[in-house]
Amino acid sequence: MIGITDGHDVVAPGNKEFGMTRTGVPRSRRLFAAVAAAGIVLTGCTNTGEEDAPSSAPADGGDGQVVRETEDTGEGCTLEEYGAEPLDLEGAVVGFSQSEPDTAAFRAAETASIRAAADEVGVGELLVTNADNELPKQIADIQDLLNRGVELLLVAPVNSDGLDPALDAAREAGVPVITIDRKVTNTPCEDYVTFLGSDFYDQGARAADAMSEATGGEAQVAILLGSSGNNVTDDRNAGFKDQVEAEHPGLEIVAEQPANFARDEGQAVAEQLLQSNPDITAIYAHNDEMALGAVTAVQSAGLQPGVDVKIVSIDGTRNAVEAIVDGQINAVIESNPRFGPLAFETAQRFYDGETIPEDVIIEDDMYDSENAEANLGNAF
């Protein structure tokens, strides 16, 4: 598969690996998101930049996204209401604006999933850009994609705010936009069609439950925050804190500091917090990369991660799930990055004239000491 070069990539067909659902972690009311033309669930698997390049499916069959069935997610949007023209995805030119480098495991799996699903649908060209976590670059990337003639845009936003110039340009060009993973604050069915992603507030609440389970309900907790300016950080933090206040009074949050979803910053911030507050007995990290940095920081302090200092995080990267198997991380709430099938299925439904919800929310599972080893092949 062709890699990203100078921020741009034209992807040719060639990757058709698919999978089934996760085993060992049952959930009720499951509705599988499938590529409309093929009726299948695509999966992706990768690691951080320190390991092998990503493949598009876990070795044991995969972990396809599952759409939550229930809630009211706004009035929805149709092709007519959006003011777009019908489009046959087969042979179309589609753009994908990625937010962060694919050295991050989540982003690598996300990009691999988009590529493979585009191949399966039969798009003519998939043009991929990477903003390197810079909002001005993402705006320029999207404007460049529009200049290159894309007919549909998939966008993983750098921030929830600030994409207005790019979204305005897409609207003026008559190009529909589907956002994934991070929700923008712009107007649905005007600036973008829909948001595809997880319930980040629920992830935070479930992390609080997992932390209480790991600590026996009593702990001095430090929080490693993600980057500012996006709903992922805000919701994962609010969900955790609200659940602690409501259900787990024995968890005392004694410190919180940004580490920007990065492993090196997670390590540095955790080291600082442990030095300034040696009574810390638990760390909640907004993503796995920061949690893995915290593992190193705890070890540097002469303590045993997962034992002396409990660690709970969110994502489901292979490195973090392996750390659970090794006893260094206690639990990981999954945040599934494999948006390719759902993105193209949603686009097809939109072009078929169906009403698309404002938010399409997926279900996420959890890894802990009881299931991590059995489900390691599903991690990304």
Side-chain angles (χ1 to χ4, degrees), residues 15-16 125 128 144 204 227 230 300:
N15 194 330
K16 295 185 178 180
E125 284 186 327
V128 179
D144 181 61
S227 56
N230 68 79
S300 297

Side-chain angles (χ1 to χ4, degrees), residues 47-108:
N47 306 304
T48 68
E50 299 174 359
E51 298 191 1
D52 295 336
S55 68
S56 65
D60 69 346
D63 186 15
Q65 286 184 334
V66 178
V67 177
R68 182 180 295 176
E69 294 181 16
T70 52
E71 67 230 44
D72 178 10
T73 57
E75 295 182 359
C77 187
T78 66
L79 184 69
E80 182 179 2
E81 291 168 334
Y82 198 81
E85 296 294 325
L87 178 68
D88 185 353
L89 290 175
E90 186 172 356
V93 180
V94 178
F96 174 46
S97 172
Q98 178 59 281
S99 58
E100 300 170 15
D102 281 354
T103 50
F106 185 98
R107 298 301 166 187

Side-chain angles (χ1 to χ4, degrees), residues 200-241:
F200 305 115
Y201 183 92
D202 181 63
Q203 289 177 342
R206 292 170 63 202
D209 293 340
M211 182 66 77
S212 181
E213 179 71 20
T215 61
E218 301 285 337
Q220 304 280 301
V221 183
I223 302 177
L224 301 181
L225 302 169
S227 56
S228 61
N230 68 79
N231 68 312
V232 179
T233 296
D234 294 344
D235 289 354
R236 285 178 180 174
N237 214 40
F240 185 87
K241 287 184 169 182

Side-chain angles (χ1 to χ4, degrees), residues 42-363:
L42 171 73
T43 59
C45 178
T46 188
N47 306 304
T48 68
E50 299 174 359
E51 298 191 1
D52 295 336
S55 68
S56 65
D60 69 346
D63 186 15
Q65 286 184 334
V66 178
V67 177
R68 182 180 295 176
E69 294 181 16
T70 52
E71 67 230 44
D72 178 10
T73 57
E75 295 182 359
C77 187
T78 66
L79 184 69
E80 182 179 2
E81 291 168 334
Y82 198 81
E85 296 294 325
L87 178 68
D88 185 353
L89 290 175
E90 186 172 356
V93 180
V94 178
F96 174 46
S97 172
Q98 178 59 281
S99 58
E100 300 170 15
D102 281 354
T103 50
F106 185 98
R107 298 301 166 187
E110 188 173 67
T111 300
S113 177
I114 296 292
R115 293 178 190 272
D119 174 39
E120 181 63 29
V121 169
V123 301
E125 284 186 327
L126 177 68
L127 307 179
V128 179
T129 62
N130 196 300
D132 293 327
N133 210 24
E134 297 178 7
L135 181 60
K137 185 176 186 306
Q138 184 162 51
I139 293 170
D141 285 347
I142 292 173
Q143 291 171 331
D144 181 61
L145 288 170
L146 293 168
N147 291 336
R148 296 169 71 191
V150 298
E151 299 165 282
L152 169 68
L153 270 170
L154 308 177
V155 178
V158 170
N159 291 330
S160 294
D161 297 311
L163 269 182
D164 305 61
L167 297 178
D168 289 346
R171 186 174 64 251
E172 291 173 7
V175 176
V177 175
I178 292 175
T179 63
I180 62 176
D181 178 52
R182 290 176 182 170
K183 185 174 174 65
V184 294
T185 56
N186 301 77
T187 305
C189 206
E190 181 178 325
D191 299 315
Y192 67 100
V193 175
T194 186
F195 160 72
L196 313 180
S198 296
D199 184 336
F200 305 115
Y201 183 92
D202 181 63
Q203 289 177 342
R206 292 170 63 202
D209 293 340
M211 182 66 77
S212 181
E213 179 71 20
T215 61
E218 301 285 337
Q220 304 280 301
V221 183
I223 302 177
L224 301 181
L225 302 169
S227 56
S228 61
N230 68 79
N231 68 312
V232 179
T233 296
D234 294 344
D235 289 354
R236 285 178 180 174
N237 214 40
F240 185 87
K241 287 184 169 182
D242 288 351
Q243 187 72 352
V244 165
E245 181 177 359
E247 300 292 339
H248 308 298
L251 300 180
E252 182 182 358
I253 298 171
V254 297
E256 57 183 288
Q257 189 169 324
N260 298 310
F261 293 127
R263 188 182 305 195
D264 57 347
E265 293 188 56
Q267 179 180 343
V269 170
E271 286 175 348
Q272 175 188 335
L273 293 176
L274 288 167
Q275 289 171 2
S276 61
N277 192 339
D279 293 330
I280 288 172
T281 57
I283 294 174
Y284 164 48
H286 283 186
N287 81 336
D288 287 351
E289 285 298 295
M290 294 187 295
L292 291 164
V295 167
T296 303
V298 171
Q299 291 171 327
S300 297
L303 301 171
Q304 187 174 351
V307 179
D308 299 319
V309 178
K310 309 295 186 182
I311 300 175
V312 172
S313 66
I314 300 173
D315 265 352
T317 66
R318 187 175 183 88
N319 285 344
V321 178
E322 287 177 338
I324 296 177
V325 176
D326 294 339
Q328 297 178 325
I329 290 179
N330 301 90
V332 172
I333 308 302
E334 181 192 46
S335 193
N336 194 328
R338 299 164 176 123
F339 286 100
L342 181 59
F344 283 101
E345 182 210 11
T346 302
Q348 188 61 63
R349 290 172 51 215
F350 173 71
Y351 286 119
D352 287 344
E354 295 185 33
T355 300
I356 305 303
E358 177 181 331
D359 300 321
V360 179
I361 304 301
I362 63 172
E363 296 276 8

